[in-house]
Amino acid sequence: MYRIAIITDIHGNISALNAVLKDIKEQSIDYIYCLGDMIGIGPFSNEVLETLFDLENISMITGNHDESVLALLNNHPYPKSRVNVIPHQAWIAERLKKEYKEKLESLPRIINPTYYEKQLHLTHYPMTPVACDSPICEDPFDIAGIPSKENFSSINSLSEFSLVCFGHDHHSHQIECNSTLFFNPGSLGVYNKSYAHVMQLLI
């Protein structure tokens, strides 16, 4: 039996992250999966990344905020849908430590861990294989549309998984599509109440 924690959308909120990690430690969690958007919105990007990359029992993927900041740093095409936040993300990019830029660039968009012959699909947002290969300037995380049974049912490549965990949309979601459960624990760092979202699984 494994105890797994799913966290997502920390968005530079080091206080919320520390609170959740304290709870995770008390719950004797075996492993943590972080589903992207570690940075952006909140001001503590370096502190969040330092905390996460210092953990030994974690796997991480990138989200749209992480990749948009990297696009600015690498002078790559930036998503037109988010030009209104360029000044903010430029502020993040200017202060991001070089070591974390390189570590973010090494992260994948998808993790498919296997437990007891069952494979999970962990992503910042459900997408087709074609979208997964698209650059951030094409807004691959937004192609599927809002979280809904109709939109997720159209992604045939995910039907083989019993559980798909995602973030991006900051609200909690639990959507059943045939034999696949799509679950979003909600944003850890962007919430208007005094607690942070985290999902714990017993596998």
Side-chain angles (χ1 to χ4, degrees), residues 153-165:
S153 294
S154 65
I155 309 176
N156 296 327
S157 59
L158 301 182
S159 61
E160 63 184 281
F161 302 101
S162 58
L163 177 63
V164 175
C165 294

Side-chain angles (χ1 to χ4, degrees), residues 55-189:
L55 296 173
E56 296 181 355
N57 62 333
I58 191 170
S59 291
M60 302 157 61
I61 60 177
T62 56
N64 56 292
H65 279 255
D66 311 309
E67 294 188 22
S68 295
V69 170
L70 289 176
L72 291 175
L73 285 167
N74 293 320
N75 198 28
H76 290 167
Y78 186 87
K80 294 181 180 179
S81 65
R82 291 182 169 82
V83 293
N84 61 313
V85 298
I86 285 181
H88 165 68
Q89 293 197 335
W91 186 90
I92 297 291
E94 290 169 3
R95 290 157 177 79
L96 191 68
K97 291 183 179 180
K98 181 180 179 181
E99 61 185 289
Y100 299 138
K101 170 184 177 293
E102 294 172 349
K103 288 183 177 182
L104 283 175
E105 289 175 328
S106 70
L107 297 179
R109 280 183 174 172
I110 290 173
I111 302 174
N112 291 327
T114 300
Y115 292 92
Y116 301 110
E117 300 183 356
K118 290 188 177 182
Q119 196 173 45
L120 313 181
H121 185 81
L122 310 179
T123 180
H124 187 60
Y125 200 72
M127 62 180 79
T128 65
V130 173
C132 188
D133 291 332
S134 299
I136 189 61
C137 63
E138 296 180 8
D139 287 315
F141 298 103
D142 295 336
I143 292 175
I146 64 172
S148 69
K149 183 174 183 178
E150 180 181 5
N151 288 337
F152 290 166
S153 294
S154 65
I155 309 176
N156 296 327
S157 59
L158 301 182
S159 61
E160 63 184 281
F161 302 101
S162 58
L163 177 63
V164 175
C165 294
F166 66 99
H168 191 46
D169 182 290
H170 292 170
H171 302 285
S172 299
H173 294 280
Q174 183 172 320
I175 301 170
E176 293 187 33
C177 298
N178 300 319
S179 60
T180 303
L181 175 63
F182 291 80
F183 192 90
N184 179 356
S187 173
L188 186 156

